[in-house]
Amino acid sequence: MSIVTVQLGQCGNQIGFEVFDALFIDSHCPQRLSSKRENEAYQASCKERFFSEEENGVPIARAVLVDMEPKVINQTLSKAAQSGRWKYGQHSSFCQKQGSGNNWAYGYSVHGPRHEESIRNLIQKEVEKCDSLSGFFIIMSMAGGTGSGLGAFVTQNLQDQYSNSLKMNQIIWPYGTGEVIVQNYNSVLTLSHLYRSSDALLVHENDAVHKICAKLMNIKQISFSDINQVLAHQLGSVFQPTYSAEGSFHYRRNPLGDLMENLVPHPEFKMLGVRNIPQMSENSLAYSTFTWAGLLKHLRQMLISNAKMEEGIDWQIRPPLPGLPNLSKMSLNKELHFNTSIANLLILRGKDVHSADLEGFKDPALYTSWLEPVNAFNVWRTQRAFSKYEKSAALVSNSQFLVKPLDMIVGKAWNMFASKAYVHQYTKFGIEEEDFLDSFALLEQVVASYCTL
Amino acid sequence: MGRRRRRVDPADAAGALPAAITALSRALPGGPSPETFRRAKFDRPEAAPALWRLLFHVLSPRPADDAAALPTPEAQARLVKSVLRSQGYPRRALVQLPEDGSQGSRELLLALSWLLARGPLLERLLAQIRVRLGDEMPVCECEVLASPGPPAPRVEADGCVDIRHLQWLMGKLRFRWRNLITSQQEHCALLGKVHSYTRGCHSDRSLGHLSVTEAELLRDPEGGRQLLRRLESENARLEAALEWRRRELVFWQWMDTVLDACPPEASQPTFLPRILERGAGELELVARELQALQEELQAVVEPRRAAWEARVGGWGPGWKATQRASEEAVRQELTALQRAWERGGGLAQPHGPHRLVRSEAGTLGGPGLCATEVIKALRSREACLEAALRQLQGQCRQELARLVGALPGFIWILPPGC
């Protein structure tokens, strides 16, 4: 089943390119350990999901590119075409000549309705190329102007048009010390709107990825391209093919559907995060060997202590002892900074993958009281290695990991709103104070729900 | 269990009964051997298991395709008894048979004959196991809706259930529903491809293209041989069924002798279904609540009606005519709505699965339904159901609003998306 990607704004387009590139490169990576037949099945599965066929054999990404200025889209299109590996469709992009000045309201209330039909037609064309549509990825930033406002509008549109298809928004969480003054307003409005119309919000934090580049990859001058490549690696390790069931060797047909069913069925809990291990520069890779036990131990502690990478993990944080009543357990967890999960999806790729011991992730202490580990924990596997990593593991989790950052953003936005700073820039384009209040209420509710796990 | 008695030529009688029983045994899917029938007349215990299995197969709502899903013999026996009772089977002796499946072959034989005599049992069974060559799609879901399905496992909630868990399960169900729809769309798209690529390949001009089964036949000769074997065995079964229809009179006469061989049934008082104690308490509560509600309604309706009458009474005879006219209009609208509902659901063609045939636009004709008409009927049905759902949701919202109003000082925040 196919996934159609909508790349929005500068952020969405640059990341989208890296994602397709990572997927393509991985699926054509020479594999020493997998049989030829297995490899071909893997390639075919990845191809069906993300690329469509062209007459001269060059795969075309199933993507629609949208931006309000032409520069980034042109760069993205030419980078893909020059690579010779794959490309974007000739008529899959839409851009205008003007920006939106980081104004969310302008993106949502002006650009959105004005260009609704053109964008819808582009998406429709891409959908028609699919034999079967599993759903949509929408890649966008949360705090900018075009990506965020227009992204919220487009997602709502998709909700109306394709109500049965699944929608996952890949959201880029801005740097804590971002330069845009109104980024907190934009973030609040984006999140609240997406919470109503999207099925899952997969959040990538710029700060976290930046640290990975610095500490793990040892990159001295970190560019956006580096950050986006790390991000793409994370997404690839989640969405590349995996076996459909324990013991099967057929590849899963609908990973997006299976992921959503396992992680986000509850309407109040839609925030997802990705962690993967190992992550390192190619030079270091040659000198490292891994065991599943070691990888999983680190990954588990990353989950519990809310660490974003495998360096600098706080090993002091432990799950609470069983037998405590719920309320005291919750306050104890909060004191200990223990990250409670609702549900987790573990994806294992590589050699001896069936021998990995998963008991650590089935511990009920990791999870909230109203969901048993048998329902809350799922694992996908494939023997075929990912990229150049002989063994790799990714964890998609619905947990409390975003409560603090979210609370902080809502708090800052509220302080600004209380003094009505810059609000007129939004009311000028139809976003009323009511809308702000509704958004605050919704996000406060989300924070409260996650806190009382 | 009566049927017309006719004189049978004694010369035929000797061979006629075995032939009839053999035909019946061959026609019934999974039918017991003729020897079983004979033993059953004398209530031999070794004939019982085969008859229990046959009755379970005949009466269970979904034909069990894989042996792994078959319930235990006790569960099978319980289902057979309960379905027969719900269909009105009159003999008490069957209910009293032990459920380990070891006895009662004569009673079971009588039950089988009762079912055969009542309706087209054989034809229904044969239709179920028909070899289907075409790609089929049901045009209505009434068969699925009518059959109760296997009993759902009941999970006893000990203590409180966290509502978040229920919301989680509900959400999972919704996602599965959406994934199912996506899979069905994919299925249809691929069927369309097969049908359009094989246009002109079918020897039957009215069909014009191959179905998936038929296309597989061309690709896989071994599969073709298996299909041929299945068709041959189906033919044999159908021929046996025809044979049975010719000879069944002898069978019914023989069944009379079986019935006579039974000990007379002592008259028993009709037994009522047992109401569980817990259920009884709740029923009491519900009855009292209904009573209270009815009194409340009366109390509200009476003064209103009186007030209305008082207002209207002074308006003169012309008003009466208007009132009658508006009542008539409402009644007509109601019947129109009901007819639209029935029309939407009741297509002229019989229910059940239909073979999909892709044809060029404008070349319609011949038997069968047109897909666009079916779609239109289903859409109007869908609109009726959606209107009913919205009405029910509105009622729920009103009730919530009433409850909210009853508790001052609370702020209610609805979940996102409502």
Side-chain angles (χ1 to χ4, degrees):
Chain A
M1 290 200 185
S2 311
I3 298 178
V4 169
T5 303
V6 181
Q7 304 178 184
L8 284 159
Q10 171 180 344
C11 199
N13 279 298
Q14 286 172 338
I15 292 176
F17 168 77
E18 298 294 349
V19 171
F20 281 109
D21 211 30
L23 293 168
F24 187 90
I25 291 179
D26 167 58
S27 70
H28 285 82
C29 201
Q31 288 293 311
R32 293 160 303 143
L33 296 169
S34 304
S35 68
K36 183 156 173 275
R37 215 168 70 151
E38 158 124 50
N39 211 22
E40 280 172 2
Y42 187 90
Q43 276 180 5
S45 179
C46 166
K47 182 124 164 282
E48 186 209 0
R49 203 164 298 145
F50 293 107
F51 297 91
S52 61
E53 193 68 56
E54 169 93 321
E55 294 91 39
N56 58 0
V58 177
I60 299 188
R62 298 189 191 271
V64 170
L65 299 88
V66 177
D67 199 357
M68 289 300 108
E69 34 178 50
K71 188 173 90 166
V72 175
I73 285 194
N74 289 335
Q75 279 174 352
T76 310
L77 289 173
S78 61
K79 254 208 287 194
Q82 275 167 12
S83 71
R85 299 186 279 264
W86 58 275
K87 59 184 188 182
Y88 285 106
Q90 248 184 342
H91 305 287
S92 305
S93 63
F94 175 84
C95 55
Q96 294 291 286
K97 293 290 194 294
Q98 48 161 171
S100 37
N102 287 323
N103 191 324
W104 196 95
Y106 198 80
Y108 184 81
S109 310
V110 178
H111 282 314
R114 195 182 281 167
H115 308 301
E116 181 182 341
E117 202 173 317
S118 316
I119 298 177
R120 201 179 337 138
N121 287 340
L122 278 186
I123 295 179
Q124 172 91 351
K125 263 199 338 220
E126 203 54 53
V127 167
E128 278 165 11
K129 284 197 226 160
C130 305
D131 263 341
S132 68
L133 179 68
S134 160
F136 298 93
F137 277 166
I138 302 132
I139 312 183
M140 54 190 271
S141 75
M142 198 168 76
T146 315
S148 52
L150 185 58
F153 184 84
V154 167
T155 308
Q156 232 167 278
N157 237 322
L158 287 176
Q159 166 90 315
D160 297 329
Q161 278 266 288
Y162 302 95
S163 47
N164 281 326
S165 302
L166 304 168
K167 289 166 286 295
M168 174 177 276
N169 287 65
Q170 313 283 350
I171 303 180
I172 310 308
W173 199 271
Y175 285 104
T177 54
E179 323 89 48
V180 178
I181 280 205
V182 290
Q183 72 176 35
N184 294 319
Y185 279 165
N186 292 344
S187 306
V188 163
L189 290 168
T190 304
L191 279 175
S192 60
H193 278 79
L194 288 182
Y195 229 88
R196 291 188 204 113
S197 48
S198 180
D199 295 308
L201 309 179
L202 184 52
V203 173
H204 306 276
E205 295 171 83
N206 262 349
D207 286 314
V209 181
H210 192 104
K211 267 208 221 118
I212 291 179
C213 286
K215 298 274 174 57
L216 298 181
M217 316 281 285
N218 287 321
I219 301 174
K220 296 291 180 260
Q221 309 271 34
I222 299 175
S223 65
F224 274 123
S225 176
D226 298 313
I227 292 196
N228 296 341
Q229 278 172 9
V230 170
L231 230 148
H233 178 97
Q234 284 183 336
L235 277 177
S237 67
V238 173
F239 286 105
Q240 284 291 57
T242 51
Y243 299 138
S244 62
E246 294 287 311
S248 161
F249 288 95
H250 290 289
Y251 283 110
R252 190 177 292 271
R253 301 229 54 232
N254 190 2
L256 192 56
D258 294 339
L259 185 150
M260 294 214 184
E261 188 192 318
N262 289 329
L263 292 179
V264 288
H266 198 295
E268 282 178 17
F269 301 104
K270 289 184 182 174
M271 321 274 304
L272 298 175
V274 185
R275 290 168 185 76
N276 72 325
I277 190 175
Q279 179 98 50
M280 50 184 50
S281 62
E282 272 187 43
N283 306 335
S284 321
L285 196 50
Y287 303 106
S288 319
T289 52
F290 307 101
T291 61
W292 284 118
L295 289 175
L296 292 177
K297 189 161 156 224
H298 277 74
L299 196 54
R300 180 175 184 267
Q301 195 60 24
M302 280 161 71
L303 171 67
I304 293 176
S305 63
N306 200 8
K308 302 301 191 315
M309 57 181 186
E310 63 253 46
E311 223 177 89
I313 302 177
D314 184 351
W315 290 92
Q316 295 307 314
I317 300 182
R318 292 286 156 84
L321 295 165
L324 282 177
N326 278 346
L327 278 177
S328 51
K329 184 168 120 167
M330 275 195 297
S331 59
L332 190 61
N333 283 348
K334 225 172 168 183
E335 262 179 55
L336 299 175
H337 306 290
F338 177 78
N339 185 32
T340 308
S341 307
I342 301 177
N344 284 313
L345 172 64
L346 185 63
I347 300 154
L348 304 176
R349 300 176 185 274
K351 191 164 159 218
D352 299 328
V353 76
H354 292 290
S355 67
D357 175 20
L358 306 168
E359 284 315 303
F361 283 96
K362 296 183 186 169
D363 182 359
L366 263 56
Y367 299 98
T368 181
S369 57
W370 46 270
L371 208 56
E372 312 259 308
V374 65
N375 297 319
F377 175 66
N378 293 277
V379 60
W380 294 354
R381 294 182 229 243
T382 175
Q383 266 170 207
R384 205 257 195 205
F386 179 67
S387 193
K388 302 209 170 61
Y389 294 89
E390 186 196 56
K391 298 188 178 82
S392 65
L395 183 70
V396 186
S397 63
N398 189 346
S399 68
Q400 292 175 319
F401 79 108
L402 260 192
V403 166
K404 277 226 197 55
L406 183 57
D407 205 24
M408 215 159 50
I409 286 192
V410 171
K412 286 191 193 161
W414 180 254
N415 286 337
M416 280 179 73
F417 184 73
S419 48
K420 298 287 188 290
Y422 302 101
V423 173
H424 63 279
Q425 284 187 10
Y426 293 80
T427 52
K428 198 159 67 171
F429 296 111
I431 305 293
E432 302 302 332
E433 291 186 11
E434 288 277 308
D435 301 313
F436 273 94
L437 290 173
D438 285 340
S439 302
F440 282 120
L442 193 151
L443 291 179
E444 291 280 0
Q445 179 68 14
V446 170
V447 169
S449 304
Y450 270 103
C451 278
T452 54
L453 280 182
Chain B
M1 277 195 240
R3 63 219 119 281
R4 308 190 304 277
R5 290 176 188 267
R6 234 194 269 148
R7 304 239 19 215
V8 175
D9 189 351
D12 278 337
L17 180 62
I21 292 184
T22 310
L24 179 60
S25 148
R26 279 213 211 105
L28 282 171
S33 64
E35 190 56 31
T36 310
F37 282 87
R38 219 181 326 272
R39 290 209 182 110
K41 170 171 180 179
F42 301 106
D43 206 18
R44 311 282 315 163
E46 57 265 26
L51 285 170
W52 277 117
R53 271 198 303 274
L54 175 65
L55 280 174
F56 172 74
H57 181 93
V58 161
L59 294 171
S60 71
R62 284 238 158 276
D65 290 328
D66 55 317
L70 273 181
T72 61
E74 286 79 20
Q76 291 185 23
R78 268 198 300 274
L79 185 123
V80 167
K81 285 188 188 177
S82 80
V83 175
L84 279 173
R85 190 156 67 189
S86 70
Q87 293 195 6
Y89 185 65
R91 288 181 66 82
R92 288 297 313 277
L94 181 87
V95 179
Q96 292 164 342
L97 287 176
E99 284 171 4
D100 58 5
S102 60
Q103 293 180 36
S105 52
R106 185 158 55 206
E107 280 305 318
L108 295 173
L109 180 59
L110 287 171
L112 176 67
S113 319
W114 184 77
L115 288 169
L116 275 170
R118 278 178 90 228
L121 177 68
L122 201 56
E123 283 74 9
R124 177 169 71 82
L125 291 172
L126 291 171
Q128 261 176 8
I129 59 165
R130 220 178 72 211
V131 174
R132 291 160 204 274
L133 287 175
D135 299 315
E136 300 201 343
M137 189 152 291
V139 294
C140 64
E141 298 289 314
C142 45
E143 242 181 60
V144 177
L145 289 173
S147 63
R154 316 208 73 223
V155 180
E156 285 307 322
D158 48 344
C160 322
V161 175
D162 196 318
I163 189 135
R164 290 175 290 186
H165 185 64
L166 286 173
Q167 287 174 305
W168 182 268
L169 293 174
M170 194 62 200
K172 264 190 114 123
L173 201 58
R174 281 204 194 97
F175 272 125
R176 289 209 181 160
W177 173 250
R178 284 160 83 178
N179 290 338
L180 180 64
I181 291 188
T182 311
S183 296
Q184 282 183 334
Q185 283 175 333
E186 182 183 21
H187 185 223
C188 286
L190 294 173
L191 278 180
K193 275 192 169 165
V194 170
H195 293 182
S196 70
Y197 290 169
T198 60
R199 225 181 358 216
C201 295
H202 207 289
S203 55
D204 182 345
R205 290 261 165 250
S206 68
L207 292 173
H209 64 77
L210 301 179
S211 69
V212 170
T213 316
E214 290 163 346
E216 279 299 304
L217 263 179
L218 295 177
R219 296 197 326 167
D220 173 24
E222 178 53 37
R225 277 190 282 274
Q226 280 181 7
L227 186 61
L228 180 63
R229 279 194 286 271
R230 281 168 59 204
L231 284 168
E232 283 171 347
S233 71
E234 186 182 353
N235 262 354
R237 222 190 281 282
L238 289 169
E239 282 174 359
L242 283 175
E243 178 83 8
W244 154 256
R245 280 289 169 217
R246 278 204 304 271
R247 295 179 179 276
E248 61 176 307
L249 192 56
V250 162
F251 177 82
W252 296 122
Q253 290 169 340
W254 178 69
M255 280 310 299
D256 277 339
T257 68
V258 173
L259 189 58
D260 291 337
C262 286
E265 273 214 317
S267 77
Q268 308 248 354
T270 43
F271 63 108
L272 299 161
R274 197 167 45 93
I275 303 182
L276 299 166
E277 276 110 43
R278 199 177 64 172
E282 287 178 7
L283 277 174
E284 271 270 352
L285 202 62
V286 170
R288 256 185 276 131
E289 277 190 8
L290 278 174
Q291 182 87 341
L293 193 62
Q294 189 173 36
E295 286 166 7
E296 199 180 316
L297 274 172
Q298 290 280 66
V300 169
V301 157
E302 291 301 341
R304 272 188 147 188
R305 186 162 282 166
W308 176 248
E309 298 276 322
R311 268 177 68 191
V312 160
W315 287 11
W319 176 249
K320 277 278 183 330
T322 328
Q323 187 185 2
R324 237 176 288 125
S326 56
E327 274 181 21
E328 183 57 40
V330 166
R331 198 186 347 262
Q332 276 180 1
E333 209 181 301
L334 189 62
T335 30
L337 274 173
Q338 281 176 333
R339 236 182 286 126
W341 169 266
E342 280 153 19
R343 198 171 356 139
L347 300 157
Q349 306 286 346
H351 295 198
H354 284 61
R355 178 172 177 155
L356 290 168
V357 174
R358 187 190 173 111
S359 60
E360 300 304 308
T363 61
L364 300 167
L369 299 165
C370 180
T372 40
E373 280 172 24
V374 177
I375 293 174
K376 211 171 17 175
L378 287 172
R379 283 227 173 98
S380 72
R381 195 40 138 17
E382 185 186 20
C384 281
L385 287 170
E386 271 191 6
L389 176 67
R390 273 197 298 274
Q391 197 206 24
L392 288 171
Q393 282 175 336
Q395 283 176 1
C396 278
R397 254 184 237 118
Q398 279 178 356
E399 177 64 16
L400 270 175
R402 189 182 70 81
L403 289 170
V404 163
L407 288 170
F410 275 76
I411 300 177
W412 297 79
I413 306 177
L414 293 170
C418 286

